[in-house]
Amino acid sequence: NELEQTWAVLKFDFEKRKDITLVKIPEEVIESLEDNQAKLQNMMGSRNVDFFIDTVSAWQKKLGVVDTIISLITEVQRTWSY
């Protein structure tokens, strides 16, 4: 599965600033997230989605969680690091 292969190797980086370590979200992660979410949304609109609806729905949920976590990390770091 292409999504499994993509997300198995994507990782967050860490960056030391002063006395705090921040999570750095690589651009590759953001691009993959946006691209994969768009592809899944297109698949959901397909009339042939019934055969693999469970897999598509599961990946939409997983990537939604990733999106939420990235947003929360960004928000918390913005609040505490400046």
Side-chain angles (χ1 to χ4, degrees):
N1 174 321
E2 183 182 335
L3 288 172
E4 288 176 7
Q5 291 173 353
T6 298
W7 287 95
V9 297
L10 291 176
K11 297 178 181 176
F12 294 163
D13 296 325
F14 297 92
E15 179 181 345
K16 185 82 171 161
R17 280 200 196 159
K18 299 180 187 175
D19 60 345
I20 189 169
T21 301
L22 300 176
V23 179
K24 186 175 180 189
I25 315 296
E27 191 62 33
E28 178 185 11
V29 171
I30 302 297
E31 289 173 2
S32 293
L33 179 61
E34 291 172 353
D35 182 53
N36 292 161
Q37 285 178 316
K39 285 180 182 177
L40 289 168
Q41 190 61 37
N42 287 338
M43 287 180 193
M44 287 300 277
S46 169
R47 60 181 169 203
N48 301 318
V49 74
D50 292 343
F51 180 71
F52 51 94
I53 187 86
D54 292 339
T55 303
V56 173
S57 295
W59 271 104
Q60 279 187 313
K61 185 174 182 177
K62 290 175 189 177
L63 295 183
V65 169
V66 171
D67 195 13
T68 299
I69 290 170
I70 288 173
S71 295
L72 291 171
I73 288 171
T74 303
E75 183 179 328
V76 167
Q77 290 184 156
R78 189 176 316 123
T79 301
W80 287 100
S81 65
Y82 299 108

